[in-house]
Amino acid sequence: ALNDGDLNEIGMSALIGGGISFGSYQLQSAINYSEYKESGGTFTRKQFNAISRAAQKSFTRGREYGGWLTADGGVEMFPRGQQSQIQPQDKPKGATGFFHTHPNTGGNWGEIHSPADINFNNNIARVPSLVVGRQNTYMQLSGQNANLFSTNKFFNPYPFNYYWFR
């Protein structure tokens, strides 16, 4: 449009650009999932992609996102949260875990499980709980403290930054 292109040229450029962007995103997602599986990861591709998308939305929008991981390899997402909280839905039958993000937008906000997160898991969820932060992912098993699960090499929505600027 800036160079007096007609509608066909503008449309074709948009399609080509969109196709390249979509293909690049899918390729990076496949590479991340492959590395995750090689490291012993047990999430299905659907679960892995849901966690990755939630991290992307969370870190760009400054809100918490999360969901239940189910035995059939699926994910039941919670309604989007606020800046520093999310309200999980009732635990579905066959839930094997749950996750949520910590986009770390506030001063006293950490990327590890909060006391409320641990309380919810110990008393209600009673399944492995993941918190995905900007740098690391933490796991908390019911009745235990949260521990480092992995660096965000896998769920990082900005993998180029992880590899080149760490």
Side-chain angles (χ1 to χ4, degrees):
L2 296 174
N3 292 318
D4 295 326
D6 63 24
L7 196 54
N8 287 333
E9 291 172 333
I10 294 168
M12 185 57 68
S13 295
L15 284 173
I16 290 170
I20 290 171
S21 295
F22 179 77
S24 298
Y25 175 83
Q26 293 300 322
L27 177 62
Q28 187 62 59
S29 176
I31 290 168
N32 286 358
Y33 184 69
S34 174
E35 289 180 2
Y36 166 75
K37 289 301 274 187
E38 286 175 14
S39 74
T42 59
F43 297 135
T44 64
R45 178 73 189 258
K46 184 176 185 176
Q47 291 170 332
F48 181 87
N49 286 343
I51 294 169
S52 295
R53 281 191 307 273
Q56 292 170 12
K57 288 193 283 187
S58 178
F59 302 152
T60 57
R61 298 176 185 171
R63 294 178 173 271
E64 291 192 9
Y65 288 83
W68 291 103
L69 305 172
T70 59
D72 65 358
V75 178
E76 291 189 22
M77 296 297 292
F78 308 146
R80 72 180 181 177
Q82 301 300 316
Q83 285 184 333
S84 62
Q85 64 184 356
I86 192 164
Q87 183 61 46
Q89 298 300 298
D90 291 340
K91 182 179 171 183
K93 195 173 196 120
T96 59
F98 76 98
F99 76 95
H100 72 282
T101 60
H102 279 187
N104 298 338
T105 58
N108 293 330
W109 203 5
E111 67 178 5
I112 197 165
H113 291 74
S114 69
D117 294 337
I118 292 172
N119 184 52
F120 174 78
N121 194 32
N122 288 344
N123 298 309
I124 298 171
R126 297 187 176 139
V127 293
S129 165
L130 289 176
V131 168
V132 181
R134 288 184 183 266
Q135 286 79 33
N136 300 298
T137 300
Y138 295 87
M139 179 177 282
Q140 190 254 334
L141 302 175
S142 183
Q144 299 180 11
N145 291 325
N147 293 305
L148 180 66
F149 178 69
S150 75
T151 62
N152 262 2
K153 175 178 171 182
F154 305 119
F155 302 120
N156 188 343
Y158 314 108
F160 179 81
N161 294 348
Y162 177 83
Y163 290 111
W164 297 102
F165 299 112
R166 60 181 166 145

